[in-house]
Amino acid sequence: MEQEQLVMSKEELLKVALEHNGYRTPSLNDTLYLHYKGYQRIENLEEYTGLKALYLHSNGLQKIENVDHLEELRCLFLQQNAITVIQILPTSLVQLDLSENNISTIQNLSHLLNLTTLNLSKNQLADADSIKHLTECKGLTSLDLSHNQLAGKEIVDTISGIEQLKSLNLTGNPVCAKVAYFRKKMIVANKSLRYLDRPIFDDERALAEEWACGGQEAELKLKQQLQAAKRDQT
């Protein structure tokens, strides 16, 4: 006999809240742990207006719904679901995890003025057009796009439009291997970037910028100067 799907009913939400030392009064709960339940829909959260963190990962969700009224929500975890479209989210969000879904185009994030950390790894993003909306996310500082199918030299210019970006993970995307001097180009184009799959140290940034201005010969000359300076310090 087919197993009955677990529904996010009011009774179910109360049960889960109490299991994690929460409160019977929905609005008093600041965190709900609703992961690994097998829910198919997000619903009945109308009274949980005090939520600051909501864990909904590893369910069977296909749609983001019924969360835009959560005006205090800062962290939303929706990874490992079956979501295909990013729909309207609370403007208060600071951290959003949508990794391991089926998203092919990024949208509906530009109104999240407080959003600093976004994880979209292991989705279906394939080219610059699929991620261009990120340039409208003015507060974004940490971005994970690893293990998508991103390809094309336009990726460099698109990501450079994310003005405040400091940390970027692109591991496992074709663009990293197929665009010549990709890492150097990314470092030069993104002045605020301090991490690109691994830390970007001051010497690497200086060398990349010298390469951009004068080519490999200028880069090699600066490298030799930096090495000599370090030897003199020892």
Side-chain angles (χ1 to χ4, degrees):
M1 188 170 67
E2 186 176 349
Q3 186 176 4
E4 185 178 353
Q5 294 288 352
L6 193 59
V7 175
M8 199 183 294
S9 64
K10 290 184 178 182
E11 294 77 16
E12 169 69 12
L13 291 172
L14 174 59
K15 176 186 172 184
V16 171
L18 295 176
E19 284 176 349
H20 291 90
N21 300 313
Y23 301 95
R24 287 188 172 276
T25 303
S27 60
L28 295 179
N29 291 283
D30 60 8
T31 304
L32 271 182
Y33 298 97
L34 303 174
H35 53 300
Y36 292 107
K37 298 289 186 179
Y39 299 132
Q40 300 295 303
R41 289 196 62 196
I42 306 171
E43 53 190 333
N44 292 309
L45 290 172
E46 290 80 8
E47 297 179 79
Y48 287 82
T49 53
L51 286 179
K52 291 181 173 60
L54 181 56
Y55 294 82
L56 283 166
H57 55 282
S58 306
N59 282 292
L61 303 173
Q62 298 182 33
K63 187 177 180 181
I64 304 172
E65 57 186 335
N66 301 319
V67 294
D68 55 312
H69 68 287
L70 302 174
E71 297 180 354
E72 295 185 32
L73 194 65
R74 294 172 60 84
C75 302
L76 179 57
F77 301 95
L78 286 164
Q79 66 268 32
Q80 295 181 335
N81 279 289
I83 296 165
T84 57
V85 177
I86 302 174
Q87 285 150 311
I88 301 300
L89 292 158
T91 57
S92 53
L93 280 182
V94 174
Q95 179 180 0
L96 175 61
D97 194 334
L98 283 165
S99 59
E100 297 187 63
N101 278 285
N102 295 310
I103 296 165
S104 58
T105 301
I106 301 171
Q107 58 188 349
N108 293 324
L109 296 178
S110 59
H111 68 295
L112 307 180
L113 302 182
N114 299 308
L115 186 66
T116 61
T117 303
L118 176 62
N119 191 339
L120 281 160
S121 64
K122 297 183 179 179
N123 274 282
Q124 304 298 321
L125 305 169
D127 53 27
D129 283 342
S130 70
I131 64 170
K132 66 181 179 181
H133 180 70
L134 292 173
T135 61
E136 300 177 34
C137 300
K138 301 302 182 183
L140 201 59
T141 60
S142 179
L143 176 62
D144 192 339
L145 294 172
S146 61
H147 302 289
N148 278 278
Q149 292 85 46
L150 291 168
K153 60 183 181 180
E154 300 83 6
I155 297 292
V156 175
D157 290 335
T158 300
I159 292 178
S160 68
I162 309 173
E163 299 172 357
Q164 304 299 320
L165 195 62
K166 292 179 173 59
S167 176
L168 174 63
N169 192 340
L170 281 170
T171 301
N173 283 284
V175 67
C176 298
K178 293 187 177 181
V179 173
Y181 305 110
F182 177 73
R183 183 173 174 86
K184 291 178 184 178
K185 290 176 180 178
M186 285 294 298
I187 292 171
V188 172
N190 295 267
K191 303 301 181 185
S192 62
L193 206 59
R194 293 293 175 266
Y195 185 96
L196 176 59
D197 301 335
R198 62 179 188 271
I200 301 170
F201 295 109
D202 291 342
D203 283 3
E204 184 181 13
R205 176 166 290 283
L207 289 167
E209 290 175 350
E210 193 70 14
W211 168 82
C213 294
Q216 290 180 321
E217 184 176 344
E219 180 189 12
L220 178 59
K221 183 177 179 180
L222 177 59
K223 185 176 182 179
Q224 292 170 340
Q225 292 172 352
L226 291 172
Q227 290 172 339
K230 288 180 180 178
R231 286 196 299 269
D232 292 342
Q233 291 174 358
T234 57

